[in-house]
Amino acid sequence: MEVVAADDETAFAVQELLATRWAIAPADRTTHEPGEPGVRLHCYLDMRQAARPVGEEGIRGDMDAAGTPQTRRGEART
């Protein structure tokens, strides 16, 4: 996905917002074309896979397509 923004701060804020919803391979820098306004950020977004929340141990848990936490056997956690 390409994010076009006025500045780095805005581009990275959009990337963070996307990462709260979907799986993402984040970019660590933006690019600027001379003579063009703003910056561009390229990141890879998988809209088929929901973002995984960080658990208490700091390890990301498994989720189904609806974002429901799952056990290793595919059963919803309570």
Side-chain angles (χ1 to χ4, degrees):
M1 163 169 266
E2 181 176 59
V3 176
V4 180
D7 55 40
D8 287 354
E9 183 179 340
T10 304
F12 286 115
V14 170
Q15 177 176 261
E16 286 295 317
L17 180 64
L18 293 170
T20 64
R21 179 72 185 184
W22 296 289
I24 188 171
D28 59 354
R29 64 182 177 90
T30 60
T31 57
H32 173 74
E33 292 292 326
E36 295 288 322
V39 296
R40 295 177 186 272
L41 179 139
H42 297 272
C43 60
Y44 297 93
L45 180 69
D46 185 352
M47 296 178 72
R48 297 171 296 166
Q49 184 177 347
R52 295 184 218 164
V54 175
E56 290 179 12
E57 305 84 25
I59 300 172
R60 294 186 176 270
D62 294 323
M63 296 177 72
D64 66 10
T68 305
Q70 301 289 305
T71 64
R72 294 202 183 267
R73 290 184 243 153
E75 301 162 350
R77 278 189 260 164
T78 57

